[in-house]
Amino acid sequence: MTNTTEQTDVLICGSGSAGLCAALWLSRYGINYKILEKRDGPLKMGQADGVQTRTVELFDSFNIAEDLLKDSYHVLELAFWNSNQAGGIRRSHYAPDKETALSHQPHVILNQARLNEIMVEAINRTGEIPIEYGVEVRSVEVDEEAANDPDAYCVHVKAAKDGVERTIAAKYVLGCDGAHSVVRKSLGFKMLGDSSDAVWGVMDVYPRTNFPDIRKKAVINSEAGNLIIIPREGDALVRFYIELPAGTVVKDVNKESLQKQAQLIFQPYTMEVAETAWWSAYVIGQRRADFFTKAHRVFLTGDACHTHSPKAGQGMNVSLQDGYNIGWKLGAVLNKQAPPSLLETYVSERQSTATELIDFDRYFTKLFSSKWRQENGISSEQFAEAFVKAGRYTAGQAVKYGESAITSYNKETEKLAPNVDVGMRFPTAQVMRFSDAKAMQLIKALPSICRWYVLVFAGDITDSAAAARLDKIATGLQAMAEELTPVGADPDSLIDPVLVLSGKRTVVEQEQIPEYFTPVTGKWGMKNLHKVFFDDESYNDGHGHAYECYGVDPALGAMIIVRPDQYVAKITQVDDVNGVADFFRGFLNPVGRPKLNGKHE
């Protein structure tokens, strides 16, 4: 039995991390979308739990990090244990879980089900999430001829619920339906890669033990094998990743064999499992889809296009980043801010990220293999050093996007802010907000609210030359904003200016700040005073030294463009208004207003 065809702008197949993160963006852009989920309800207990610092930053950008941080276990220290050469283990040393400068956010542990719930709660604040449970996606087809029309509902998805089949026509479809993706298989795409002969077990347990580091993230290398401890939220539950002996077959593994292997690795400490909440066994493998898109109308995300081992804690985190990347781009295209060609950057950016992830995972997996370390002469000290060095990657902070219409490299101008990397997430530093003397992280001025940001580091405007320069910059940027912003929209709704000044805050008056940086916005038509910051001493939190952190010379200044997803798009001279305008004209749709230099055709 088949129902008539329904229509939606975006159909998301699967309500996992990637799908919900994309949906969060779409809800903020006001896009018409629908989510189909095969399960009969929300995820109750996810298998993923590691929340890397970049993911916490992502949640904070949506202003939903508070519950995440409150409910989670915070990973602060690593404990390394090695064989004592007498059949037991001894602690070799402690190490910090992350470099202090890596992120202002912590690495935490929280069940994926709770993360999903936090995203759903955020979406519901803008209107009830359009998710339908108990629906099986059966096929996906793209009318490639119709796909040339950007307004065409050219993707047809057949789905069934309770035996009733129906067809949904969409402009775009996201395949967020996991490693066994029906969307991927329906398009004829294949997963390329391989599996190793290494078998690992994983279990969430309530342990009774005298092992001293049971509530710390710990790596144990014993003569009996390797084990990783991941304490879970709630102060009781603990996850073990357990290396199983060579020759182990997954189907022969059971709960009891996992517990026995763990007890051997923990010797001479006792390890009694009071209860096992969940367990599994898996063969380590790395695979990537041969294609990430069909006609740039169907896009694969998360496990549907890349799978790898869980030990680096990347699966859920990289999937979230996939959704974070495609979500704002779909929003911008469907709102006519940018042409459909913007979506090509999802493939170029996330496909390369997936390839790098798989290469890293192969190396990281070998590090945990007792056999590989013995064959290659890797000592326990070298293992620990390599583990800590990998922290930048496992934290999600090593992603770097290549040249594109929305990422512009220039080696000369990048010297103006040498500690900021084009193509990478914008690093944060403490600044003081001018309007209320609040010390805060600069990244908090760049939330994920569907805007581009232009950061102007204008130096010390008590100097008359710097002040005159800033006035000229403001005039040029305002003309650019008027050209590119839709008529009737707030002047900062598409391109949001952020001014960062050096020098003493208390000797500058509000009237010295160009009005472009304090636009009249919002329901009440009030002047927005929250876009101006000083790199100055605060009352209670010290000095952030932001200019020094970014490497910006106050006398020279710099202008930095940051994308809606907080990645750096361009670094240029502080007065390069025409260069900034040309950058935006390169991918934003014209709105029929005068250009800075001439008229629209």
Side-chain angles (χ1 to χ4, degrees):
M1 182 177 176
T2 304
N3 283 351
T4 55
T5 300
E6 307 166 37
Q7 282 189 344
T8 186
D9 286 349
V10 181
L11 183 66
I12 301 174
C13 301
S15 66
S17 303
L20 289 176
C21 194
L24 187 48
W25 269 123
L26 295 175
S27 68
R28 295 198 169 192
Y29 273 95
I31 301 301
N32 175 32
Y33 72 96
K34 181 188 285 286
I35 304 175
L36 302 182
E37 172 53 56
K38 186 177 181 180
R39 290 190 307 270
D40 58 6
L43 185 67
K44 295 288 194 294
M45 178 66 76
Q47 296 173 11
D49 59 358
V51 185
Q52 305 297 353
T53 59
R54 179 62 193 135
T55 298
V56 180
E57 292 173 359
L58 183 158
F59 270 60
D60 193 41
S61 78
F62 284 125
N63 198 29
I64 57 174
E66 185 176 347
D67 284 344
L68 164 63
L69 295 174
K70 180 182 66 177
D71 295 348
S72 58
Y73 169 87
H74 289 230
V75 185
L76 301 173
E77 188 171 56
L78 285 167
F80 289 94
W81 289 72
N82 301 318
S83 169
N84 64 4
Q85 307 301 318
I89 54 175
R90 62 174 180 82
R91 185 194 302 116
S92 61
H93 67 286
Y94 290 122
D97 178 67
K98 73 176 181 74
E99 305 167 43
T100 303
L102 197 59
S103 173
H104 69 296
Q105 297 289 5
H107 171 204
V108 301
I109 306 295
L110 186 64
N111 188 273
Q112 183 180 4
R114 179 62 183 131
L115 261 75
N116 288 359
E117 184 180 42
I118 291 170
M119 287 189 282
V120 169
E121 290 168 353
I123 293 170
N124 283 337
R125 286 193 283 273
T126 62
E128 187 175 354
I129 184 170
I131 184 167
E132 188 175 355
Y133 293 104
V135 182
E136 179 186 357
V137 173
R138 292 185 171 174
S139 68
V140 179
E141 293 182 359
V142 181
D143 183 337
E144 295 193 55
E145 185 175 340
N148 294 320
D149 175 4
D151 295 320
Y153 293 86
C154 60
V155 188
H156 296 90
V157 177
K158 288 184 179 179
K161 181 176 183 178
D162 299 328
V164 178
E165 186 176 273
R166 68 192 204 259
T167 300
I168 302 171
K171 292 180 180 178
Y172 297 97
V173 169
L174 298 184
C176 311
D177 50 342
H180 303 289
S181 170
V182 173
V183 176
R184 183 189 69 238
K185 293 174 183 176
S186 187
L187 296 174
F189 297 168
K190 294 179 173 59
M191 294 294 277
L192 306 178
D194 50 44
S195 297
S196 68
D197 56 3
V199 177
W200 282 68
V202 56
M203 57 181 182
D204 289 335
V205 300
Y206 294 93
R208 297 188 185 121
T209 181
N210 60 351
F211 181 71
D213 290 335
I214 196 65
R215 292 305 300 174
K216 292 179 180 175
K217 183 178 177 180
V219 180
I220 303 173
N221 295 316
S222 80
E223 293 176 6
N226 299 314
L227 186 146
I228 306 169
I229 300 173
I230 306 290
R232 299 293 300 272
E233 64 275 19
D235 298 330
L237 192 65
V238 176
R239 174 164 292 186
F240 294 157
Y241 288 103
I242 308 163
E243 182 185 31
L244 298 177
T248 298
V249 179
V250 169
K251 66 180 179 63
D252 295 336
V253 178
N254 55 44
K255 180 174 68 174
E256 290 70 27
S257 64
L258 286 181
Q259 292 177 2
K260 183 179 179 181
Q261 182 65 12
Q263 288 167 346
L264 289 173
I265 293 172
F266 274 107
Q267 287 181 353
Y269 296 98
T270 60
M271 177 55 64
E272 178 186 354
V273 175
E275 183 181 334
T276 301
W278 171 80
W279 71 273
S280 183
Y282 58 91
V283 175
I284 290 176
Q286 294 88 14
R287 290 182 173 82
R288 201 206 78 181
D290 49 0
F291 300 101
F292 275 40
T293 185
K294 179 75 169 180
H296 292 99
R297 289 302 191 117
V298 181
F299 298 90
L300 299 181
T301 70
D303 288 353
C305 53
H306 48 76
T307 59
H308 29 82
S309 77
K311 282 187 290 301
Q314 295 301 290
M316 175 180 68
N317 294 276
V318 176
S319 294
L320 277 161
Q321 291 289 340
D322 288 347
Y324 192 56
N325 187 289
I326 189 65
W328 74 266
K329 293 173 181 177
L330 280 171
V333 169
L334 287 165
N335 273 349
K336 306 296 185 182
Q337 291 176 0
S341 57
L342 175 66
L343 300 175
E344 296 172 13
T345 63
Y346 169 76
V347 179
S348 62
E349 292 178 351
R350 299 310 295 172
Q351 192 165 278
S352 63
T353 299
T355 301
E356 291 168 5
L357 167 63
I358 286 172
D359 290 342
F360 169 80
D361 191 61
R362 285 198 178 101
Y363 161 74
F364 204 63
T365 297
K366 288 176 182 177
L367 268 184
F368 282 93
S369 166
S370 301
K371 179 182 176 183
W372 185 83
R373 290 201 306 272
Q374 289 171 1
E375 290 174 349
N376 290 272
I378 305 296
S379 67
S380 57
E381 291 77 16
Q382 289 171 317
F383 166 83
E385 182 182 357
F387 190 93
V388 171
K389 279 184 177 179
R392 182 178 181 86
Y393 197 95
T394 57
Q397 305 292 3
V399 173
K400 186 168 187 174
Y401 296 143
E403 179 86 27
S404 71
I406 57 171
T407 307
S408 176
Y409 286 84
N410 183 315
K411 289 182 179 179
E412 287 305 310
T413 58
E414 286 165 34
K415 293 175 183 176
L416 294 169
N419 299 335
V420 180
D421 292 300
V422 171
M424 299 186 78
R425 75 83 161 93
F426 180 71
T428 192
Q430 181 183 293
V431 290
M432 283 194 75
R433 193 160 60 192
F434 184 46
S435 63
D436 58 5
K438 180 180 179 180
M440 58 184 286
Q441 294 294 322
L442 183 55
I443 197 69
K444 292 290 286 184
L446 283 60
S448 294
I449 53 173
C450 316
R451 298 178 180 186
W452 287 79
Y453 295 95
V454 175
L455 282 75
V456 179
F457 291 82
D460 186 351
I461 61 169
T462 60
D463 175 78
S464 58
R469 180 178 67 179
L470 179 60
D471 285 339
K472 187 177 179 181
I473 293 166
T475 299
L477 290 177
Q478 184 163 352
M480 175 196 72
E482 289 174 353
E483 172 197 333
L484 298 169
T485 304
V487 176
D490 281 344
D492 59 352
S493 61
L494 180 59
I495 301 171
D496 201 347
V498 177
L499 178 61
V500 185
L501 300 171
S502 64
K504 296 299 292 181
R505 170 185 59 86
T506 53
V507 300
V508 174
E509 296 297 333
Q510 182 65 55
E511 54 264 29
Q512 294 174 259
I513 306 298
E515 290 187 353
Y516 172 65
F517 295 102
T518 57
V520 174
T521 63
K523 177 181 176 181
W524 296 283
M526 294 172 59
K527 183 174 282 195
N528 189 324
L529 301 177
H530 302 314
K531 304 177 188 295
V532 182
F533 301 88
F534 270 80
D535 182 19
D536 195 7
E537 186 85 24
S538 69
Y539 287 112
N540 301 306
D541 296 292
H543 199 304
H545 301 288
Y547 272 71
E548 181 181 334
C549 287
Y550 297 127
V552 176
D553 181 344
L556 295 176
M559 190 135 56
I560 301 175
I561 302 175
V562 178
R563 303 175 358 171
D565 58 3
Q566 297 186 333
Y567 281 78
V568 179
K570 183 181 178 69
I571 300 172
T572 190
Q573 293 96 342
V574 70
D575 57 356
D576 184 22
V577 173
N578 286 330
V580 170
D582 287 342
F583 170 78
F584 282 115
R585 290 194 198 110
F587 63 88
L588 290 178
N589 286 328
V591 294
R593 290 195 175 188
K595 279 188 175 182
L596 270 73
N597 304 309
K599 300 281 185 179
H600 284 303
E601 294 180 1

